[in-house]
Amino acid sequence: MTQDNVRQLADWLEENMAAIADRKVQLNPETIFAVLDDFGVLNNPVVKYFDITEETYYQSESDHKLTLSDDHKLLIDVTDRIMVTHVDGVLAENKVNFEYSHEAVYEDRYLVKRDLEVLTYGLAVIGAVAATVKHNLIQADLSKDAVLSLALAAQNIANWQAK
């Protein structure tokens, strides 16, 4: 993973957020998936998670930050998101602590702007970290559920744009 890829992607998302929400610019989720896979946080490529059940993910890999409410529901249908909101730590000691918040992307309907915020802000925070620390610190300290949330946001935005 190059640090520039994460920052450039976050910058592009920020610049194009309104156009993506207006369906004037297409979001390519594959670009985001490649960056997320490069983090090396999840055991498998992110696209492999969309078709497994919440129960399977919860029991096999989840770090239990994501609210999973229906064991039989597929992960692609999860409506909770974990937003990477903040990072702190002591770089000289190789310690990084990511902070998270829950974001609901559905109320009466799908809220594409919320997923865009989860994706854009999360990648911006991770990109800032990637520019200053070793890759293995991101791999060790970034939540699996947060990475999955970023992938879910990207795929759901693309699905929404396709309708």
Side-chain angles (χ1 to χ4, degrees), residues 95-148:
K95 292 184 181 178
V96 177
N97 303 306
F98 289 96
E99 299 291 327
Y100 310 97
S101 69
H102 287 271
E103 296 293 325
V105 295
Y106 286 87
E107 286 175 3
D108 295 334
R109 59 183 171 70
Y110 176 62
L111 304 171
V112 69
K113 288 183 180 182
R114 247 191 229 152
D115 253 348
L116 279 164
E117 290 167 356
V118 167
L119 188 58
T120 303
Y121 197 77
L123 288 174
V125 171
I126 297 165
V129 173
T132 58
V133 300
K134 298 174 188 165
H135 173 75
N136 63 340
L137 291 179
I138 292 173
Q139 187 177 25
D141 294 321
L142 185 60
S143 163
K144 289 176 179 277
D145 287 1
V147 173
L148 179 63

Side-chain angles (χ1 to χ4, degrees), residues 23-42:
R23 292 184 170 114
K24 293 178 182 174
V25 171
Q26 285 297 118
L27 177 71
N28 180 357
E30 298 298 325
T31 304
I32 294 161
F33 300 158
V35 168
L36 297 177
D37 288 340
D38 281 348
F39 294 155
V41 172
L42 293 171

Side-chain angles (χ1 to χ4, degrees), residues 3-153:
Q3 297 88 348
D4 288 340
N5 287 354
V6 182
R7 285 192 316 233
Q8 289 171 357
L9 184 54
D11 290 345
W12 182 86
L13 283 164
E14 188 172 349
E15 291 169 13
N16 290 283
M17 189 180 293
I20 293 168
D22 291 338
R23 292 184 170 114
K24 293 178 182 174
V25 171
Q26 285 297 118
L27 177 71
N28 180 357
E30 298 298 325
T31 304
I32 294 161
F33 300 158
V35 168
L36 297 177
D37 288 340
D38 281 348
F39 294 155
V41 172
L42 293 171
N43 296 343
N44 298 296
V46 295
V47 296
K48 295 211 177 228
Y49 293 88
F50 298 152
D51 294 326
I52 66 172
T53 63
E54 290 181 13
E55 179 180 31
T56 300
Y57 175 71
Y58 186 82
Q59 292 178 353
S60 65
E61 194 166 350
S62 174
D63 49 30
H64 310 295
K65 290 180 178 20
L66 197 58
T67 301
L68 302 174
S69 59
D70 182 347
D71 289 345
H72 303 291
K73 190 184 323 185
L74 296 179
L75 282 178
I76 192 65
D77 298 322
V78 169
T79 59
D80 184 34
R81 299 286 187 269
I82 300 299
M83 183 188 287
V84 182
T85 59
H86 178 74
V87 66
D88 62 19
V90 181
L91 294 180
E93 296 176 15
N94 289 323
K95 292 184 181 178
V96 177
N97 303 306
F98 289 96
E99 299 291 327
Y100 310 97
S101 69
H102 287 271
E103 296 293 325
V105 295
Y106 286 87
E107 286 175 3
D108 295 334
R109 59 183 171 70
Y110 176 62
L111 304 171
V112 69
K113 288 183 180 182
R114 247 191 229 152
D115 253 348
L116 279 164
E117 290 167 356
V118 167
L119 188 58
T120 303
Y121 197 77
L123 288 174
V125 171
I126 297 165
V129 173
T132 58
V133 300
K134 298 174 188 165
H135 173 75
N136 63 340
L137 291 179
I138 292 173
Q139 187 177 25
D141 294 321
L142 185 60
S143 163
K144 289 176 179 277
D145 287 1
V147 173
L148 179 63
S149 289
L150 294 169
L152 290 171

